[in-house]
Amino acid sequence: MSVTRDVIVVGLGGMGSAAAYHLAARGQQVLGLERFGPAHNRGSSHGGSRITRQSYFEDPAYVPLLLRSYELFAKLERDTGRTLATLCGGVMLGRPDSRTVAGSRLSAERWGLPHEMLDATQVRRRFPTLTPGPDEVALYEERAGFVRPEATVTAHVQLAQQAGADLRFEEPVTRWEVLPGGKGVRVHTVDDVYTAGHLVVCPGAWAPRLLSDLGVGFTIERQVMYWFHPRGGTAAFEPGRHPIYVWEDGDGMQIYGFPAIEGPDGGAKVAFFRKGTVCDPETLERTVGPQEVVAMAAQLRPRLPDLPGTLRRAVACMYTTTADEHFVLARHPEHPDSVTVACGFSGHGFKFVPVIGEIVADLALTGATEHPIALFDPLRQSVTPEGVTTP
């Protein structure tokens, strides 16, 4: 058994790498354990880009966390010299009463966020790559854009190690336990056994295995990201000309997409927001079938006339989804003195990575945080659209 640390962080993807950095920066002796390599592509923190936005249709309660996350992304860029966030503007498209449009507008108006409401003609004029129907509108947010997941994880790993964290890769955790009397934790891996005063669990799609006692049902979903080369080339799809977007059709199906950010030979990334299939992270089917490409292309054709064009590549990733699609972020209810959990980010968590790291450090060290996280209590029974927990 190795020397005891202050904190062990299990999982060094988006959330875990941020948590390891913030804890080490506060003077903690941190051991980080990751089953794969640094900034790997076997979980959820990969794919080159993730949307970031502040007019949040999921719930206005997320907006304060987003505002802080934007600040921390900027600090992370300054501290590492990396480009992590590109605010190229974004549109939330659909019918006026759709969740995507109405929810975004609610958050923007409630928090006084700069935005514009555009009708279909205005959208087409400003962004010729998009062709909304006459009954569709858009909320435009200038400060929306995308962040780079692999680069963000790498930046947090770099800073965590510079602050003294001991990060160990290719070392899967098999189980953990709280020591008698709640006096610390013991973590078992394929290579060793470690002890610490506190445990932080950021397991991604391995939450059902490592947090089976949490009392939260997680659904692991296989999702696919596609890169299509536009028929007329990528020039019209470059950042500044083509926005990020989330687009909801009349049946509630959402797609989302990005500018072409991989050069003239790359493509524009697109995906369904919630059209996954239940999977197991150990046996995830990583090959994307032709019928999946056909389904994505059919959704694109009436909306983006220069797509699908030519498929460049397609990659599978995973969502770890809770029943209400809100996060789980708290001290473990069965082990409140020993364990902090951050999981169930339900396909919309990466834009929060820096602030999640800050919150996890708060919770691990003091058991509380000034950030508003009541919505993410694992003991919640039901949650209204406004984020109020009810019996």
Side-chain angles (χ1 to χ4, degrees), residues 56 82 90 94 96 104 125 141 163 166 175 186 192 234 384:
Y56 218 60
R82 299 175 184 270
S104 298
R125 183 180 302 122
E141 180 185 331
D166 178 8
R175 63 187 176 93
R186 183 183 295 120
D192 208 339
T234 58
T384 74

Side-chain angles (χ1 to χ4, degrees), residues 95-319:
R95 294 175 180 171
D97 60 350
S98 66
R99 184 190 185 200
T100 302
V101 174
S104 298
R105 187 170 188 172
L106 174 64
S107 284
E109 292 177 347
R110 178 162 300 182
W111 290 98
L113 302 175
H115 67 285
E116 298 177 62
M117 297 305 302
L118 308 176
D119 63 25
T121 300
Q122 291 170 318
V123 172
R124 292 177 180 178
R125 183 180 302 122
R126 188 174 298 190
F127 304 112
T129 51
L130 308 176
T131 57
D135 62 341
E136 293 182 311
V137 300
L139 180 144
Y140 172 71
E141 180 185 331
E142 185 178 15
R143 286 185 58 75
F146 59 90
V147 295
R148 296 184 177 272
E150 293 93 340
T152 300
V153 173
T154 300
H156 277 132
V157 166
Q158 171 191 332
L159 292 183
Q161 291 175 324
Q162 289 176 357
D166 178 8
L167 306 185
R168 303 191 179 188
F169 298 93
E170 309 291 347
E171 188 169 350
V173 170
T174 57
R175 63 187 176 93
W176 58 269
E177 60 206 10
V178 174
L179 297 175
K183 303 299 183 181
V185 295
R186 183 183 295 120
V187 176
H188 301 254
T189 75
V190 295
D191 295 331
D192 208 339
V193 179
Y194 306 95
T195 57
H198 197 86
L199 174 64
V200 169
V201 188
C202 304
W206 284 261
R209 287 172 169 77
L210 292 177
L211 292 172
S212 59
D213 64 341
L214 188 59
V216 175
F218 299 105
T219 301
I220 311 305
E221 298 173 300
R222 174 182 177 273
Q223 306 283 344
V224 178
M225 302 173 284
Y226 305 82
W227 286 259
F228 289 100
H229 190 272
R231 277 192 289 267
T234 58
F237 285 79
E238 292 175 351
R241 302 183 69 184
H242 179 72
I244 64 93
Y245 57 89
V246 180
W247 202 328
E248 181 176 338
D249 68 17
D251 296 324
M253 176 63 68
Q254 293 168 305
I255 61 171
Y256 66 93
F258 299 81
I261 62 175
E262 298 180 353
D265 295 326
K269 178 182 168 185
V270 298
F272 288 104
F273 190 24
R274 300 203 178 277
K275 195 182 178 182
T277 55
V278 176
C279 70
D280 185 299
E282 299 289 355
T283 59
L284 176 67
E285 177 56 68
R286 297 191 178 275
T287 299
V288 178
Q291 73 282 2
E292 296 178 284
V293 178
V294 168
M296 186 76 253
Q299 198 76 7
L300 292 173
R301 284 192 186 97
R303 295 171 176 82
L304 292 96
D306 289 325
L307 294 180
T310 305
L311 180 70
R312 289 301 195 201
R313 63 188 175 109
V315 175
C317 70
M318 290 177 285
Y319 288 1

Side-chain angles (χ1 to χ4, degrees), residues 44-55:
S44 302
S45 298
H46 66 99
S49 58
R50 289 289 186 273
I51 284 177
T52 189
R53 50 193 167 88
Q54 295 180 351
S55 301

